[in-house]
Amino acid sequence: MLNSILASPRVSVLEQALSASSLRQKVISNNISNVNTPGFKKSEVVFEDFLQNAIDGGKLQMTKTNSQHLPLQGKGIPTPAVKVIDKTSFRSDGSNVDIDIEMANLSKNNIYYNAVVQQLSGYFTGIKSAIKEGRG
């Protein structure tokens, strides 16, 4: 019972979204800390595009709701990846880190993280309410 709640595709996608947000925080922090390093090339985290491609391509699997259904082959949920942006140069020293863009990305990631946590919390609050039969 608990495994089926925690193995829900919704929880799995939100879990990967939190992982992407955490990884993105580290990547942005690394970009900011190297803003004055000559020749440094910034990195980005790619997750949402992978997820959208998986959704569009129908690679996300259905939920197994009956024991006689065929077994699921993996969850099909993409994992976040780090991509180095090495084709551009923003400054004369070869670095492509723009501190204003990185700070905006940091704020955007914070909002993204809070939205994902809110979705996850709402999911578990709904389950808790169902367990308590809608009381309290």
Side-chain angles (χ1 to χ4, degrees):
M1 174 77 169
L2 183 60
N3 284 340
S4 65
I5 292 171
L6 296 177
S8 158
R10 182 176 177 185
V11 171
S12 298
V13 168
L14 291 173
E15 179 184 358
Q16 288 301 319
L18 284 177
S19 294
S21 180
S22 174
L23 182 60
R24 187 170 289 125
Q25 180 81 15
K26 291 175 186 172
V27 166
I28 293 171
S29 296
N30 187 47
N31 290 342
I32 291 172
S33 67
N34 286 294
V35 69
N36 291 325
T37 303
F40 180 79
K41 299 299 183 186
K42 71 178 187 177
S43 299
E44 291 179 349
V45 172
V46 183
F47 172 68
E48 290 78 12
D49 292 340
F50 291 163
L51 183 61
Q52 187 64 50
N53 287 340
I55 292 170
D56 292 343
K59 293 180 182 173
L60 289 180
Q61 303 243 343
M62 303 295 284
T63 303
K64 184 178 175 181
T65 57
N66 187 310
S67 63
Q68 294 185 359
H69 288 167
L70 294 174
L72 301 175
Q73 301 293 324
K75 296 180 181 177
I77 299 170
T79 57
V82 176
K83 177 178 154 189
V84 176
I85 311 297
D86 57 357
K87 302 281 188 227
T88 61
S89 283
F90 181 72
R91 299 186 327 212
S92 60
D93 64 1
S95 175
N96 62 357
V97 178
D98 182 351
I99 190 69
D100 293 331
I101 291 174
E102 297 303 321
M103 295 306 286
N105 287 340
L106 197 61
S107 296
K108 180 179 168 184
N109 189 49
N110 189 27
I111 293 168
Y112 177 83
Y113 176 83
N114 287 333
V116 172
V117 167
Q118 192 173 20
Q119 288 289 314
L120 201 53
S121 176
Y123 175 77
F124 286 115
T125 299
I127 290 173
K128 181 180 174 184
S129 177
I131 291 172
K132 289 184 173 184
E133 299 174 1
R135 290 181 257 149

